[in-house]
């Protein structure tokens, strides 16, 4: 697959901490999930790739444009849709007015064409019925869809979504996943999330970050495979396990390095993720 | 209603194209309302593409955002539709803010007129330059603009957005100051001595923003202004130094320097002034 976004050696320090530490990655069309605990550097990586802050070191390119020059940055921004972690709204704007405002920021100056585009996008995210309603009167799920519509307006080739499913109830989350899956057709989408289910359901690639560094890059199946032979069941919590919990069946599910003859279980993406993080912190401690 | 007269086909064609003129248009309108046959013929004659386009135009007009009073006024005096829209999102141009600024000015003017009638309008002159500085500082940046981050990563250059808003806020701010000046006729032209300091403070505050941040820069500049006035007040009597002819000259020079510096650092407004976000779950995620 053609690489659409690539970065090498991205580093950004804040005080003594490296929020990004030599991050190198390549993205292709489709949805790539970005997993990591709080403080892993996910938001910083997304803000750098979205050209909100320049990195201290390293370079990246988006759809062939180099953001280190003014003209290149402009071109990256023309190809970018960005949903920040805490998307802000002008609460007195209606959904239509807000997306229209973002469309103006995206240089759509022809009123007729812009309004047609805003209507198309609001239809696409199922908000046509409430497009005239003020944002402060919309539910959390609807607001999040307004923010997605603002990111999607102008049909950008690179979509950066920072934890868009946080705070949504399961039904809203499912609906949102459908929208992201649709958005991933013919586009490069980088989706930061805490939810391994988001990754399992949506992503063709997954990246795991911890302490500002990339810890894993591959397919969700490959991340799951990190835990192959490292998940087992026992009647009591196995003290050798790195993590263990009692399941609904009353037995314990352990992840780590199983003792000999252990009753091995089929690993999940979550197991693979937990072990990748655990290996990362063990490496830091060592 | 039965009738032997019907709208001629040529007229109906002209009617669908919107080209039929009065008084034939009135006859056609009245007749079409009553005659189903003519309406059927009209539907057959209408160009479906033009009809769809007509519906789309109607649809578009129906749910296009309604322009508020100020926005309509701006469009009417020639401001481009999209620029007017950008300006309506400027927090300090909202009515509540404007009302607050007007109230502060009103109180200052009243205090000035009662405390030192006929002498020097010092209180007013000291405060008036701070209002445009505060207005401009608050209209751009993460403090009051909830969509700041989305704006930064948009292709519209950050400096352009800053200039659009600054010009708008300055126009309104200086306008209000000007009105307040009119309320102090006893002082004559002396009451206008706030203008150059206002421009100097605003330009310097903006020029320092990329280096010091959107909060520290205007606070520092505002603080320096107050400090300067207090020093001037302690060191002499009569008109405070910034409001003398020499002081005005210096203010003009600082305004020009600030504007020049601002132009030099314009590209720094193209990335976020917030280097790190410290979000709800803690940590520099």
């Amino acid at each position: 697959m053609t690489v659409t976004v690539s970065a090498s050696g991205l580093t950004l320090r804040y005080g003594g901490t490296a929020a990004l530490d030599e991050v190198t990655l390549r993205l292709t069309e489709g949805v790539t999930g970005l997993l990591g605990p709080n403080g892993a550097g996910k938001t910083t990586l997304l803000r750098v790739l979205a050209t909100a802050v320049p990195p201290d070191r390293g370079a990246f390119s988006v759809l062939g444009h180099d953001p280190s020059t003014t003209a290149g940055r402009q071109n990256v921004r023309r190809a970018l849709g960005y949903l920040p972690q805490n998307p802000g709204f002008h609460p007195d704007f209606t959904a239509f007015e807000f997306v229209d405002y973002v469309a103006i920021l995206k240089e759509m100056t022809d009123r007729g064409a812009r309004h047609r585009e805003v209507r198309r996008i609001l239809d696409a995210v199922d908000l046509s019925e409430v497009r005239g309603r003020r944002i402060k009167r919309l539910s959390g799920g609807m607001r999040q869809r307004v923010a997605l519509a603002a990111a999607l307006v102008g049909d950008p080739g690179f979509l950066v979504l920072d934890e868009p499913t946080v705070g949504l109830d399961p039904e809203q989350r499912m609906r949102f996943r459908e929208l992201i899956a649709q958005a991933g057709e013919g586009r490069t989408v980088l989706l930061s999330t805490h939810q391994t289910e988001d990754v399992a359901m949506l992503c063709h690639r997954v990246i795991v970050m911890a302490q500002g560094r990339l810890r894993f890059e591959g397919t969700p199946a490959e991340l799951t495979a990190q835990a192959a032979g490292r998940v087992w069941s026992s009647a009591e919590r196995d003290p050798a396990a790195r993590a263990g919990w009692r399941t609904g069946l009353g037995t314990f599910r352990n992840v780590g390095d199983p003792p000999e003859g252990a009753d091995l279980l089929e690993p999940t993406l979550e197991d693979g993720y937990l072990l990748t993080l655990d290996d990362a912190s063990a490496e830091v401690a060592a | 209603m039965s009738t032997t007269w019907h709208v001629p086909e040529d007229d109906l064609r002209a009617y669908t194209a919107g080209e039929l003129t009065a008084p034939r248009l009135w006859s056609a309108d009245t007749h079409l309302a009553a005659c189903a046959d003519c309406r059927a013929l009209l539907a057959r004659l209408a160009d479906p593409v033009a009809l769809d386009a007509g519906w789309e135009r109607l649809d578009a007009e129906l749910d296009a955002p309604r322009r508020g009073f100020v926005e309509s006024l701006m469009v009417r005096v020639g401001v481009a539709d999209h620029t007017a829209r950008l300006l309506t999102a400027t927090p300090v141009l909202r009515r509540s803010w404007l009302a607050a600024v007007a109230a502060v000015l009103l109180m200052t003017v009243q205090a000035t007129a009662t405390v030192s009638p006929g002498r020097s309008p010092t209180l007013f002159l000291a405060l008036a330059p701070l209002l445009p500085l505060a207005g401009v500082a608050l209209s751009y940046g993460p403090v009051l603009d909830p969509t700041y981050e989305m704006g930064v990563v948009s292709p519209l250059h950050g400096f352009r957005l800053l200039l659009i808003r600054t010009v708008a806020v300055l126009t309104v701010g200086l306008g209000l100051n000007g009105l307040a000046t009119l309320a102090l006729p006893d002082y004559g032209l002396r009451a206008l001595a706030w203008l150059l300091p206002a421009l100097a403070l605003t330009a310097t505050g903006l020029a320092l923003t990329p280096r010091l941040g959107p909060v520290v820069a205007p606070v520092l500049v505002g603080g320096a202004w107050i400090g300067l006035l207090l020093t001037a007040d302690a060191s002499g009597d009569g008109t405070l130094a910034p409001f003398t002819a020499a002081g005005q000259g210096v203010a003009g020079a600082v305004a020009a320097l600030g504007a020049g510096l601002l132009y030099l650092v314009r590209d720094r407004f193209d990335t976020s002034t917030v280097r790190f976000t410290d979000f709800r779950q803690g940590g520099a995620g």
Side-chain angles (χ1 to χ4, degrees):
Chain A
M1 268 189 121
T2 326
V3 173
T4 47
V5 176
S6 66
S8 70
L10 291 181
T11 300
L12 187 67
R13 301 190 75 80
Y14 181 56
T17 323
L20 285 185
D21 190 1
E22 297 285 338
V23 170
T24 295
L25 56 84
R26 282 149 176 257
L27 304 179
T28 55
E29 257 180 29
V31 185
T32 300
L34 176 59
L35 283 171
N38 290 328
K42 302 192 299 292
T43 290
T44 305
L45 176 63
L46 296 192
R47 291 180 79 226
V48 167
L49 292 179
T51 73
V53 277
D56 293 335
R57 271 207 324 274
F60 68 104
S61 83
V62 174
L63 301 166
H65 305 295
D66 171 12
S68 64
T69 65
T70 308
R73 189 163 58 235
Q74 201 87 340
N75 285 329
V76 170
R77 289 173 177 180
R78 287 192 178 113
L80 175 79
Y82 177 41
L83 194 160
Q85 191 172 32
N86 288 336
F89 301 100
H90 296 290
D92 286 332
F93 275 12
T94 64
F96 191 109
E97 285 170 333
F98 180 73
V99 180
D100 187 45
Y101 171 74
V102 175
I104 292 171
L105 290 177
K106 291 186 179 180
E107 297 178 316
M108 301 175 76
T109 48
D110 181 276
R111 187 166 183 258
R114 190 177 74 234
H115 286 179
R116 269 198 299 285
E117 170 68 1
V118 173
R119 279 205 304 279
R120 180 184 76 80
I121 289 295
L122 288 174
D123 273 350
V125 300
D126 271 356
L127 285 176
S128 5
E129 297 298 311
V130 294
R131 62 190 170 201
R133 198 181 292 174
R134 286 186 197 283
I135 291 176
K136 62 182 169 200
R137 292 187 49 224
L138 295 180
S139 69
M142 282 179 177
R143 281 185 201 191
Q144 204 63 350
R145 274 187 276 156
V146 173
L148 181 67
L152 281 171
V153 76
D155 200 11
F158 179 38
L159 199 58
V160 174
L161 307 174
D162 198 350
E163 297 191 15
T165 54
V166 162
L168 300 186
D169 66 38
E171 198 188 328
Q172 288 172 332
R173 209 178 303 141
M174 279 314 294
R175 180 71 195 106
F176 216 81
R177 282 184 189 138
E178 277 174 47
L179 294 173
I180 294 170
Q182 277 165 22
E185 288 167 17
R187 275 202 188 87
T188 304
V189 180
L190 184 55
L191 166 76
S192 156
T193 179
H194 278 292
Q195 313 260 346
T196 46
E197 305 113 84
D198 283 347
V199 173
M201 289 185 190
L202 281 172
C203 303
H204 76 305
R205 302 279 297 169
V206 56
I207 293 169
V208 177
M209 278 186 86
Q211 291 104 10
R213 289 166 67 182
L214 229 64
R215 301 297 174 166
F216 176 87
E217 194 179 1
T219 64
E222 285 165 352
L223 182 57
T224 307
Q226 299 282 309
R230 299 174 74 187
V231 186
W232 70 99
S233 163
S234 59
E236 294 298 323
R237 190 186 187 286
D238 195 324
R242 302 215 196 147
W245 60 94
R246 191 195 290 276
T247 67
L249 301 171
T251 53
F252 276 80
R253 185 182 176 88
N254 307 284
V255 292
D257 300 309
E260 227 156 284
D263 179 13
L264 291 179
L265 296 173
E266 197 62 33
T268 64
L269 189 71
E270 179 116 13
D271 299 326
Y273 170 57
L274 282 177
L275 280 168
T276 303
L277 285 186
D278 205 57
D279 291 345
S281 54
E283 190 186 306
V284 169
Chain B
M1 187 172 105
S2 73
T3 173
T4 49
W5 185 85
H6 292 284
V7 184
E9 216 173 290
D10 282 348
D11 280 9
L12 279 180
R13 271 201 195 87
Y15 188 88
T16 59
E19 289 162 0
L20 193 66
T21 51
R24 280 162 173 261
L25 175 65
W26 302 332
S27 315
D29 265 338
T30 318
H31 180 80
L32 280 166
C35 177
D37 290 345
C38 279
R39 281 202 302 274
L41 182 58
L42 180 75
R44 282 200 297 279
L45 287 176
D47 173 5
V49 177
L51 200 62
D52 283 350
W55 276 116
E56 196 180 317
R57 271 205 308 280
L58 181 65
D59 198 24
E61 276 315 309
L62 284 178
D63 62 16
R66 299 257 177 284
R67 291 193 184 113
F69 173 71
V70 179
E71 196 181 346
S72 304
L73 201 69
M74 283 193 278
V75 172
R76 203 162 287 179
V77 299
V79 176
D81 143 79
H82 52 275
T83 308
R85 207 92 261 277
L86 286 180
L87 288 174
T88 50
T90 308
V92 287
L93 289 183
R94 285 198 209 118
R95 235 172 287 165
S96 50
W97 281 94
L98 294 180
V101 171
V104 170
L105 278 172
L106 203 68
M107 283 189 287
T108 316
V109 163
Q110 206 166 17
T112 304
T114 41
V115 170
S116 56
R119 280 173 53 224
S120 173
T122 307
L123 186 60
F124 174 63
L125 291 181
L127 180 96
L130 290 172
L131 294 175
L133 171 73
V136 169
L138 290 172
S139 67
Y140 185 84
V143 186
L144 271 192
D145 187 350
T147 57
Y148 174 73
E149 188 103 338
M150 284 191 211
V152 165
V153 302
S154 72
L156 186 83
H157 197 285
F159 189 63
R160 205 172 142 227
L161 187 60
L162 174 87
L163 278 193
I164 291 175
R165 290 192 172 168
T166 300
V167 167
V169 174
L170 268 186
T171 308
V172 173
L174 299 183
L176 286 175
N177 276 358
L179 282 178
T181 308
L182 290 180
L184 296 167
D186 295 351
Y187 303 99
L189 272 182
R190 271 185 306 159
L192 259 182
W194 54 265
L195 180 60
L196 287 171
L199 294 176
L201 296 193
T202 307
T204 316
L206 281 179
L208 293 178
T209 295
R211 180 153 289 275
L212 300 177
V215 178
V216 176
V219 167
L220 202 72
V221 170
W225 170 246
I226 294 168
L228 180 74
L229 292 179
L230 292 176
T231 316
D233 189 39
S235 63
D237 43 19
T239 309
L240 295 187
F243 306 124
T244 60
Q248 290 287 298
V250 172
V254 171
L257 271 175
L261 183 64
L262 180 61
Y263 183 74
L264 287 179
V265 297
R266 64 190 180 283
D267 275 348
R268 300 277 298 275
F269 288 94
D270 210 24
T271 48
S272 179
T273 52
V274 184
R275 195 164 151 79
F276 275 85
T277 48
D278 203 1
F279 287 119
R280 57 189 184 277
Q281 286 143 333

